[in-house]
Amino acid sequence: MTHGIYSASPATNSGHVEKRLIARGLLAGAVAAVLAFLFARLCAEPVIGRAIAFEDGRTDVENAHGVHEHGAELFTRGVQANAGLGFGVLIFGVAMGALFAVLFCVVAARTRGGGPQVLSALLAAAAFGAVYLVPFVKYPPNPPAVGQADTIGARTGWYLVMVLVSVVLAIASVWLARRLADRLGTATGWLLAAGAYLVAITVVMVLLPTVDETPEPLRDGSGAIIYPGFPADDLYEFRLVSLGTQLVLWATIAVVFATLAGRLLGERTESGQASSTAA
């Protein structure tokens, strides 16, 4: 069905099909964002609460010893954890849904067989890996209390660089795989392209700076610990939940979009067959 997305009607109607597919991508992204937010709100809230308690306790100790003066927050933690998180996830989900639909249209027009279900699953897996999983390995997310306010711009910038490089290298590896497949066969071509991507992204990870700002134990002038470092278990749990949130997001996009696109393309195929029979 994939290679026949636009075959059920004249070529002039292909733009209309793409618009309808992108609209379904937007809907899939919105549904995915809601589920991802609920998952994050339910699973991440306990560890975020512990992280905030750690941050507040450390700030009190620092202020008591004249070490640090904590600045005022523009938004409260409650606003950040609810409206801020929900709005951010919604915008991200809708944007990823639209981009996913565009990618689906581009790839579907150049491949044969498989159907929207298989293609959606493969695209979602590839997008999850390139957009989130690979950058996650180099720059994993941190809960509140981990990181310095004066370096947030640099940390965010390096993370975005990692995402951009990962996506560009993924696109280049697909191009390489198609070129190698013509000469060496499909399986060999894709394996070599995947190996090239892994080598290239590993080099990039080594070259990019490492950001490690997990709070160490706070010590007084004599070197005695007056406040512990950030718990490793909480850091691990937060990052695991963040990974799970992205899995929920991309899996939902794949399932919802495949369902909606399958219905749309199935209807067009049946309509095209009926028109051909009538003619």
Side-chain angles (χ1 to χ4, degrees):
M1 181 186 294
T2 305
H3 68 284
I5 284 181
Y6 310 121
S7 62
S9 62
T12 55
N13 292 332
S14 62
H16 179 64
V17 179
E18 292 174 352
K19 291 180 180 178
R20 296 181 67 182
L21 286 172
I22 292 174
R24 282 154 176 77
L26 291 171
L27 178 58
V31 173
V34 172
L35 294 181
F37 170 74
L38 293 176
F39 177 87
R41 191 69 176 83
L42 178 63
C43 299
E45 183 60 24
V47 66
I48 290 177
R50 294 193 297 271
I52 293 174
F54 171 89
E55 184 180 36
D56 292 340
R58 185 182 179 96
T59 299
D60 292 340
V61 173
E62 287 175 335
N63 290 337
H65 288 77
V67 177
H68 174 73
E69 182 177 354
H70 190 64
E73 293 179 337
L74 181 61
F75 298 103
T76 66
R77 291 296 188 191
V79 172
Q80 295 176 29
N82 291 283
L85 176 61
F87 183 75
V89 173
L90 179 61
I91 294 299
F92 179 80
V94 170
M96 291 302 100
L99 290 176
F100 182 86
V102 172
L103 183 61
F104 178 90
C105 292
V106 172
V107 175
R110 291 166 173 78
T111 57
R112 291 179 177 275
Q117 291 77 15
V118 174
L119 182 57
S120 294
L122 292 176
L123 290 179
F128 169 74
V131 175
Y132 185 80
L133 185 59
V134 170
F136 173 93
V137 174
K138 179 64 178 180
Y139 298 115
N142 293 322
V146 176
Q148 302 297 326
D150 55 352
T151 62
I152 188 172
R155 286 185 282 121
T156 303
W158 286 120
Y159 176 79
L160 293 177
V161 168
M162 189 68 219
V163 172
L164 179 62
V165 171
S166 177
V167 171
V168 170
L169 288 178
I171 295 174
S173 67
V174 172
W175 175 84
L176 178 62
R178 292 176 64 88
R179 296 294 296 270
L180 292 176
D182 296 335
R183 301 178 181 180
L184 305 175
T186 302
T188 302
W190 281 99
L191 285 175
L192 290 176
Y197 171 82
L198 291 176
V199 171
I201 203 65
T202 299
V203 172
V204 172
M205 288 184 180
V206 172
L207 294 177
L208 288 180
T210 299
V211 179
D212 184 9
E213 297 180 318
T214 305
E216 299 292 335
L218 189 63
R219 303 175 183 272
D220 59 14
S222 64
I225 296 178
I226 58 177
Y227 201 79
F230 191 83
D233 289 345
D234 288 344
L235 184 60
Y236 172 79
E237 182 180 346
F238 180 83
R239 290 174 175 174
L240 187 62
V241 171
S242 299
L243 186 63
T245 300
Q246 289 292 322
L247 278 172
V248 170
L249 179 76
W250 287 105
T252 304
I253 288 178
V255 172
V256 175
F257 181 82
T259 302
L260 297 177
R263 292 178 179 176
L264 171 63
L265 300 178
E267 291 173 358
R268 292 185 61 81
T269 300
E270 293 175 359
S271 176
Q273 292 176 347
S275 298
S276 299
T277 302

